[in-house]
């Protein structure tokens, strides 16, 4: 681009500006190439800490370095924003150059500035109106995508109230205006309009979405008609209707044709916004979206559609009175404000008509590609789709079949959208095969499915970040995963391979979702059957379930009990995390309602739920016993010391009685002991911490081995974990032997393998791998030495041969 600037632009200042911008962008975008030691130095530097402004100033290189540090300082924590920056491309540089040129052009003289801004504004407006099929329209460029609708509302107020410019709110007081919006509109839009216009919230009317045919996210036109009539009967003035060509959540389009007829009947202004307006640039446009070209105004957000940073949104509108447009703020007499269109003017020329259409077409094809993959998944449903079984197919030439096919084609045409919203849902066999509606769930079942779908969306966004999927909550369907390539593909650089990878990762996660949903009830029942565990009902947790270990002993002090419970469950969670298993154990949500619990993550099909519950209870009891032993240690030691002192005092008294008083005197005792030694045995004592008693050391010296008296109980372990196949992790059962053993245990399989090895005879010429137990003597079995199976090989004496000793039967064992 440096060469093109120098060859085309005559003004050296403009060429230098473009060169400097390219150099600055190169420096800022190369922040991820710095060495690791530079990152470590920058992490511990104080340059990012705010400080006083330097008096001598800094050069451009140091300033850009500071900006680079601020941009990429949290690169490890915000990889998504870094990815967005890297995929801007040269068209993004053109948009950024537009902001620099706008600042430069603003210093021109007024006449040159007026001519230049008029040309930029007229060209951009003409290109957009032709590109999006909006004839004879005017354009308003704004930074906030809600500002265009706000200025349109002021224009309509000036149009419907003749003396509004002089009388002000007095005109609105006599006849209150009403703004209608769909319940599927983005949240906070109507409240923002009322606050900025100075209207009460009673001037906002939200129309529910409930249609007989088609999507549940479309505005109810019949109900809107009744609401308008009721408002007119009460003396209100219907002012404006906000419709959607692609709802913010599901991407569905309202019946714009019928809404336009209704607005014309009641002299209302129709404003349309939504992501589906981007498809107006394509050669083939759905009839439901094509009706948007007849509306009074529409808002276009070209930045995310085309991947252009810092370009303004555009509101196209039709109005014949330029003075009212000027009064509403849609036109400005200040040439500098018209320079808002300059970044868009440069970017549209750089992309060209074919480049713009290709980006929008590519995003639409990505949606269709993902939709084709989703139709092959039986456990995935797309939000708002109509069951095909409700409309008869065309098999004959009857009028009913033709009408049914016509209705189906119209409904599918209305529902086709570049936004794909899908959801995991458990379906029964019949509905899955016929394509019928989902199975009806209770409220608790829906909460569980919502949690699982939120987990699914988070996993897909993490595994395939280039797809740009996110999570959306719909009123009727619940939590769903949304794929909106028109808003993300140009920024993230989404390709067909990314969509295919997204479908593969989705297919990998579906068995985990199904098995987790199936095993949740089994896990609940197993916990209820275990005395030491308490099942915690948390429907918002996407996993196997939540459990808490309860202490077996009673504690009257509630605060002490809670502290002890927290300690036991924290240690339990730590030990569970150290196990060699595929299950995830955590403390749950950071701000969850339940505390001192163990949250168990997603489960696979081969999970042994009974073993999981038994292991949790076993480890919990072990922790409680160890904790109880430590708590009682002080008391036991004190009692042992007192008992030892009493026994030592008693031993001293016995020694005094046995030896006499004379032997205790220093000199006399030594003489008596020399003439007549006393044979006294040393009686030692040992303190058993486990039993809490003071025992004699005589068994130690006599048996040469220490006897503890009362052996502490062994560390409890799960019986199910004692027998595992090589390479088999904890809590996994072998699916190969599920026909002959229990579904929840692998112990039977190990025992069966051991029996097979014992029954299998050793091959001739080598010893058997398994040592068999010696058979009893023939006299014990009640047989003669020559009878019985295997008597010739074991237990049978060979006949005596001359010149060779006869082997004893014991040597054959």
């Amino acid at each position: 681009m440096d060469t093109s600037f120098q060859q085309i632009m005559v003004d050296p200042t403009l060429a230098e500006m473009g060169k400097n911008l390219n150099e600055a962008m190169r420096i800022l975008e190369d922040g991820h190439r710095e060495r690791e030691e530079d990152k470590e130095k920058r992490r511990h530097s104080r340059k990012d800490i705010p400080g006083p402004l330097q008096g001598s100033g800094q050069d451009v290189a140091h300033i850009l370095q500071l900006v680079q540090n601020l941009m990429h300082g949290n690169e490890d924590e915000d990889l998504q924003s870094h990815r967005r920056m890297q995929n801007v491309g040269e068209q993004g540089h053109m948009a950024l150059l537009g902001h620099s040129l706008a600042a430069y052009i603003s210093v021109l003289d007024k006449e040159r500035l007026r001519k230049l801004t008029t040309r930029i504004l007229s060209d951009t407006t003409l290109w957009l109106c032709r590109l999006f099929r909006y004839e004879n329209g005017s354009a308003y460029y704004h930074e906030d995508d809600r500002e265009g609708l706000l200025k349109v509302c002021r224009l309509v107020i000036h149009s419907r109230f003749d003396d509004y410019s002089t009388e002000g709110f007095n005109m609105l007081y006599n006849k209150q205006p009403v703004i209608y919006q769909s319940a599927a509109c983005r949240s906070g839009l109507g409240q923002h309009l009322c606050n900025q216009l100075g209207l009460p919230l009673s001037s906002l009317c939200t129309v529910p979405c409930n249609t007989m045919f088609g999507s549940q996210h479309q505005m109810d036109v019949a109900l809107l008609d009744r609401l308008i009539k009721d408002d007119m009967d009460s003396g209100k003035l219907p002012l404006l209707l906000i419709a959607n060509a692609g709802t913010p959540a599901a991407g569905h389009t309202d019946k714009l044709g019928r809404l336009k007829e209704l607005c014309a009947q009641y002299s209302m202004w129709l404003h349309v916004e939504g992501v589906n307006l981007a498809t107006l640039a394509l050669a083939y446009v759905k009839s439901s979206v094509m009706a948007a070209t007849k509306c009074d105004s529409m808002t276009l957000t070209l930045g995310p559609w085309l991947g252009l940073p810092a370009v303004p949104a555009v509101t196209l509108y039709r109005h014949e009175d330029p003075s009212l447009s000027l009064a509403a703020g849609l036109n400005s007499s200040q040439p500098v404000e018209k320079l808002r269109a300059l970044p868009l003017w440069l970017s549209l020329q750089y992309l060209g008509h074919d480049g713009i259409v290709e980006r929008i077409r590519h995003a639409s094809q990505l949606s269709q590609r993902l939709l084709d993959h989703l139709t092959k998944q039986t456990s995935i449903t797309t939000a708002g789709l109509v069951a095909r079984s409700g409309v008869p197919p065309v098999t004959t030439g009857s009028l009913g079949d033709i009408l049914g096919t016509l209705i189906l084609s119209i409904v599918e045409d209305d529902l086709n959208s570049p936004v794909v919203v899908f959801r995991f849902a458990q379906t029964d066999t019949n509905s899955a095969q016929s394509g019928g509606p989902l199975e009806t769930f209770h409220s608790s079942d829906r909460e569980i499915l919502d949690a699982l779908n939120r987990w699914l969306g988070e996993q897909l966004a993490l595994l395939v970040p280039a797809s740009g999927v996110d999570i959306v909550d719909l009123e009727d369907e619940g939590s769903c995963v949304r794929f909106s390539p028109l808003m993300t593909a140009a920024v993230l650089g989404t390709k067909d391979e990314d969509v295919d990878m997204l479908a593969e990762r989705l297919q990998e996660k579906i068995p985990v979702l199904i098995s987790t949903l199936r095993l949740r009830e089994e896990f609940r029942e197993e916990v209820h059957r275990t005395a030491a565990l308490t099942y915690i009902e948390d429907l918002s947790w996407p996993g196997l379930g939540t459990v808490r270990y309860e202490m077996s002993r009673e504690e009257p002090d509630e605060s002490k009990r809670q502290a002890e419970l927290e300690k036991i469950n924290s240690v339990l969670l730590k030990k569970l995390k150290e196990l060699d298993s595929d299950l995830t154990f955590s403390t749950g949500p950071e701000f969850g309602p339940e505390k001192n619990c163990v949250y168990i993550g997603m489960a696979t099909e081969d999970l042994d739920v009974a073993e999981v519950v038994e292991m949790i209870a076993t480890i919990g009891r072990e922790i409680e016993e160890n904790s109880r032993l430590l708590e009682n240690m002080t008391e036991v030691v004190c009692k042992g010391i007192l008992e030892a002192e009493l026994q030592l005092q008693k031993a001293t008294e016995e020694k005094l009685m046995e030896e006499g008083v004379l032997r205790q005197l220093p000199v006399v005792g030594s003489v008596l002991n020399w003439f007549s030694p006393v044979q006294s045995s040393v009686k030692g004592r040992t303190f058993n911490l486990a039993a809490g008693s003071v025992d004699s050391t005589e068994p130690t010296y006599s048996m040469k081995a220490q006897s503890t008296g009362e052996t502490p109980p062994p560390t409890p372990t799960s019986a199910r974990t004692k027998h595992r196949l090589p390479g088999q992790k904890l809590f996994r059962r072998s699916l190969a032997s599920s026909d002959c053993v229990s579904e929840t245990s692998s112990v039977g399989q190990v025992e069966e393998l051991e029996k097979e090895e014992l029954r299998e005879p050793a091959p001739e010429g080598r010893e058997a791998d398994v040592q068999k137990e010696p058979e009893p003597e023939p006299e014990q079995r009640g047989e003669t030495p020559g009878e019985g199976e295997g008597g010739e090989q074991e237990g049978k004496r060979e006949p005596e041969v001359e010149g060779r000793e006869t082997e004893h039967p014991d040597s054959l064992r």
Side-chain angles (χ1 to χ4, degrees):
M1 289 183 64
D2 299 343
T3 308
S4 62
F5 269 112
Q6 296 175 0
Q7 293 179 353
I8 298 176
M9 291 187 176
V10 181
D11 192 347
T13 306
L14 295 180
E16 186 68 20
M17 182 185 303
K19 182 179 180 180
N20 292 338
L21 178 63
N22 291 332
E23 183 66 18
M25 293 300 299
R26 184 188 64 80
I27 294 175
L28 295 178
E29 292 184 349
D30 287 347
H32 65 288
R33 299 179 183 176
E34 57 182 337
R35 298 177 300 175
E36 293 297 331
E37 53 268 21
D38 296 338
K39 289 184 178 181
E40 189 67 22
K41 293 179 181 179
R42 178 167 52 82
R43 185 178 294 111
H44 299 286
S45 64
R46 298 176 58 87
K47 294 182 179 180
D48 297 342
I49 301 177
L53 183 63
Q54 297 185 10
S56 59
Q58 300 184 26
D59 55 8
V60 178
H62 285 83
I63 297 175
L64 291 179
Q65 184 66 34
L66 176 60
V67 176
Q68 175 187 350
N69 295 341
L70 295 175
M71 290 174 57
H72 303 288
N74 296 328
E75 181 177 334
D76 297 336
E77 301 176 1
D78 196 4
L79 296 177
Q80 190 69 14
S81 62
H82 182 66
R83 176 178 291 273
R84 289 173 179 267
M85 186 65 188
Q86 292 299 319
N87 292 318
V88 167
E90 291 190 2
Q91 75 278 2
H93 292 190
M94 294 299 297
L96 300 177
L97 179 61
H99 292 275
S100 301
L101 288 177
Y104 174 72
I105 294 173
S106 62
V107 301
L108 298 177
D109 58 89
K110 292 184 179 180
E111 185 62 23
R112 290 185 180 182
L113 181 60
R114 184 186 60 82
K115 291 181 179 180
L116 182 58
T117 54
T118 302
R119 172 63 185 274
I120 293 174
L121 194 61
S122 59
D123 287 351
T124 311
T125 302
L126 178 63
W127 297 337
L128 292 177
C129 289
R130 290 184 176 179
L131 188 64
F132 294 97
R133 307 170 186 262
Y134 199 80
E135 300 178 357
N136 301 324
S138 302
Y140 173 66
Y141 303 90
H142 46 92
E143 302 297 334
D144 190 351
D145 55 0
R146 302 173 297 179
E147 187 179 356
L149 177 57
L150 177 62
K151 296 298 178 64
V152 165
C153 291
R154 290 177 178 172
L155 174 63
V156 180
I157 291 176
H158 281 279
S159 301
R160 298 299 301 272
F161 298 94
D162 297 335
D163 298 332
Y164 179 75
S165 58
T166 57
E167 298 295 333
F169 72 93
N170 290 328
M171 299 298 300
L172 305 180
Y173 178 78
N174 297 328
K175 204 167 189 179
Q176 181 180 352
V178 181
I179 300 175
Y180 301 90
Q181 69 170 2
S182 171
C185 282
R186 48 180 168 168
S187 59
L189 179 61
Q191 290 82 351
H192 175 75
L193 294 177
C194 292
N195 293 334
Q196 296 298 319
L197 296 173
L199 298 177
L201 291 180
S202 59
S203 298
L204 179 64
C205 181
T206 301
V207 183
C209 297
N210 187 12
T211 57
M212 182 177 299
F213 298 100
S215 168
Q216 296 296 322
H217 304 278
Q218 293 178 336
M219 189 185 303
D220 192 340
V221 182
L223 181 58
L224 173 63
D225 190 9
R226 293 196 297 269
L227 292 174
I228 294 175
K229 291 180 179 179
D230 294 341
D231 290 336
M232 294 182 65
D233 294 341
S234 60
K236 297 181 180 180
L237 178 63
L239 188 68
L240 182 139
L241 173 63
I242 306 173
N244 293 301
T247 56
H252 292 182
T253 303
D254 291 327
K255 297 177 175 61
L256 300 179
R258 295 184 58 190
L259 294 178
K260 178 57 182 176
E261 295 176 358
L262 197 63
C263 290
Q265 177 182 353
Y266 295 105
S267 300
M268 295 174 57
W269 185 283
L270 177 60
H271 178 82
V272 181
E273 60 180 22
V275 67
N276 292 351
L277 294 175
T279 60
L280 291 173
L282 302 178
Y284 173 73
V285 186
K286 299 292 187 295
S287 59
S288 57
V289 182
M290 182 63 72
T293 58
K294 304 300 180 182
C295 64
D296 298 299
S297 62
M298 65 169 63
T299 298
L300 310 175
T301 54
L302 298 173
W305 296 352
L306 305 178
L308 303 175
V311 296
V314 185
T315 297
L316 302 178
Y317 65 96
R318 296 190 184 98
H319 200 267
E320 299 178 356
D321 194 347
S323 61
L324 295 181
S325 300
L326 183 62
L330 290 169
N331 288 337
S332 176
S333 59
Q334 300 295 329
V336 179
E337 295 186 6
K338 297 180 181 180
L339 290 175
R340 293 179 181 175
L342 182 57
L344 195 56
W345 183 73
L346 294 174
S347 301
L348 293 179
Q349 291 185 88
Y350 183 83
L351 292 174
H353 181 275
D354 296 339
I356 296 172
V357 174
E358 178 59 29
R359 285 174 178 260
I360 299 176
R361 180 187 296 113
H362 175 66
S364 301
Q365 291 175 353
L366 291 178
S367 298
Q368 187 61 41
R369 190 181 189 91
L370 179 60
L371 195 58
D372 294 339
H373 285 294
L374 295 179
T375 54
K376 304 175 184 178
Q377 302 289 345
T378 56
S379 298
I380 296 296
T381 178
T382 52
L385 291 183
V386 180
R388 293 179 178 268
S389 58
V391 182
V394 179
T395 54
T396 60
S398 62
L399 180 61
D401 294 337
I402 295 176
L403 290 177
T405 306
L406 179 61
I407 293 175
L408 178 60
S409 62
I410 294 175
V411 168
E412 288 183 343
D413 182 72
D414 291 340
L415 293 178
N416 201 337
S417 170
V419 181
V420 179
V421 179
F422 59 93
R423 171 182 171 87
F424 165 76
Q426 187 106 5
T427 58
D428 55 6
T429 306
N430 298 331
S431 63
Q433 294 178 354
S434 62
L438 295 177
E439 185 181 358
T440 303
F441 290 96
H442 300 290
S443 58
S444 59
D445 297 332
R446 172 169 173 173
E447 292 184 24
I448 296 174
L449 288 176
D450 289 346
L452 295 178
N453 279 278
R454 285 192 295 269
W455 176 86
L456 176 62
E458 294 173 357
Q459 291 294 314
L460 294 178
L462 182 63
L463 296 175
V464 192
S467 63
V469 295
D470 59 352
I471 306 170
V472 60
D473 292 327
L474 303 180
E475 182 179 359
D476 295 330
E477 290 83 358
S479 298
C480 303
V481 183
R482 177 176 58 187
F483 176 66
S484 182
L486 273 174
M487 301 297 293
T488 60
V491 177
L492 299 177
T494 310
K495 301 179 181 179
D496 295 343
E497 294 79 7
D498 299 324
V499 176
D500 297 338
M501 184 180 297
L502 179 65
E504 293 177 3
R505 298 295 177 265
L506 175 63
Q507 189 174 5
E508 294 174 359
K509 297 300 179 182
I510 288 179
V512 180
L513 293 170
I514 294 177
S515 59
T516 302
L517 188 61
R518 179 177 60 85
L519 295 175
R520 282 180 68 101
E521 185 62 29
E522 181 181 351
F523 177 77
R524 185 212 306 263
E525 295 176 357
E526 288 290 341
V527 173
H528 285 323
R529 285 196 291 263
T530 306
L533 301 180
T534 300
Y535 182 81
I536 306 300
E537 187 72 29
D538 191 354
L539 301 178
S540 62
W541 173 249
L544 190 62
T546 308
V547 66
R548 177 191 293 130
Y549 181 83
E550 301 290 349
M551 295 186 300
S552 58
R553 60 176 179 177
E554 296 293 337
E555 181 63 46
D557 190 357
E558 182 64 23
S559 60
K560 187 177 180 181
R561 178 183 177 277
Q562 291 295 331
E564 184 67 20
L565 190 65
E566 180 180 0
K567 180 181 178 181
I568 293 177
N569 282 275
S570 62
V571 178
L572 173 62
L573 177 61
K574 181 179 179 181
K575 289 185 175 295
L576 290 175
K577 288 182 177 180
E578 296 173 355
L579 296 177
D580 182 20
S581 67
D582 295 332
L583 277 180
T584 58
F585 302 93
S586 64
T587 56
E590 182 179 0
F591 301 101
E594 296 292 340
K595 301 296 181 183
N596 305 329
C597 301
V598 176
Y599 287 78
I600 306 176
M602 306 297 289
T604 55
E605 184 181 1
D606 59 343
L607 179 68
D608 194 338
V609 177
E611 182 180 345
V612 174
V613 177
E614 182 181 351
M615 177 63 71
I616 295 175
T618 301
I619 297 178
R621 285 192 294 266
E622 177 185 354
I623 297 172
E624 184 181 5
E625 291 176 0
N626 294 337
S627 176
R628 187 182 306 173
L629 179 61
L630 293 176
E631 287 181 358
N632 298 334
M633 185 71 68
T634 304
E635 183 179 358
V636 171
V637 170
C638 292
K639 291 181 179 180
I641 292 174
L642 294 177
E643 183 179 354
E645 290 179 352
L646 293 177
Q647 292 190 13
L648 290 175
Q649 184 178 1
K650 183 178 180 181
T652 303
E653 295 176 355
E654 292 178 355
K655 180 180 179 182
L656 180 63
M657 295 298 296
E658 180 182 354
E659 297 179 356
V661 179
L662 294 179
R663 291 184 181 271
Q664 309 303 321
L665 297 177
V667 179
V668 180
S670 300
V671 175
L672 292 178
N673 289 333
W674 183 71
F675 284 105
S676 176
V678 178
Q679 302 294 332
S680 63
S681 61
V682 179
K683 298 180 180 180
R685 295 291 185 269
T686 178
F687 180 57
N688 191 339
L689 289 176
S693 60
V694 178
D695 301 331
S696 176
T697 58
E698 292 182 1
T700 304
Y701 294 101
S702 61
M703 303 295 297
K704 302 299 181 180
Q706 185 177 4
S707 176
T708 57
E710 183 179 351
T711 305
T715 303
T717 56
S718 176
R720 299 176 179 270
T721 60
K722 294 181 180 179
H723 303 281
R724 283 193 295 162
L725 296 178
Q728 183 181 3
K729 291 190 174 183
L730 282 175
F731 314 134
R732 298 295 174 212
R733 64 171 183 269
S734 178
L735 298 179
S737 60
S738 59
D739 297 334
C740 58
V741 297
S742 174
E743 295 182 357
T744 59
S745 177
S746 60
V747 179
Q749 181 186 6
V750 177
E751 295 176 354
E752 195 67 28
L753 290 176
E754 293 177 353
K755 293 179 181 179
E756 287 290 338
E757 292 177 355
L758 292 174
R759 288 196 299 265
E760 183 179 357
E764 184 178 359
R766 64 182 180 90
E767 295 182 16
D769 295 335
V770 181
Q771 183 69 25
K772 297 183 180 180
E773 297 181 358
E775 294 185 1
E777 295 294 334
E779 292 80 7
Q780 298 177 0
R781 294 183 303 175
E783 300 176 355
T784 60
E787 296 178 353
E789 186 179 358
E792 296 181 358
Q793 299 178 4
E794 298 180 279
K796 183 177 180 181
R797 299 186 59 182
E798 296 183 1
E800 297 183 0
V801 182
E802 184 178 358
R804 182 168 64 92
E805 294 182 359
T806 304
E807 295 180 354
H808 194 275
D810 294 338
S811 63
L812 297 178
R813 291 193 182 95

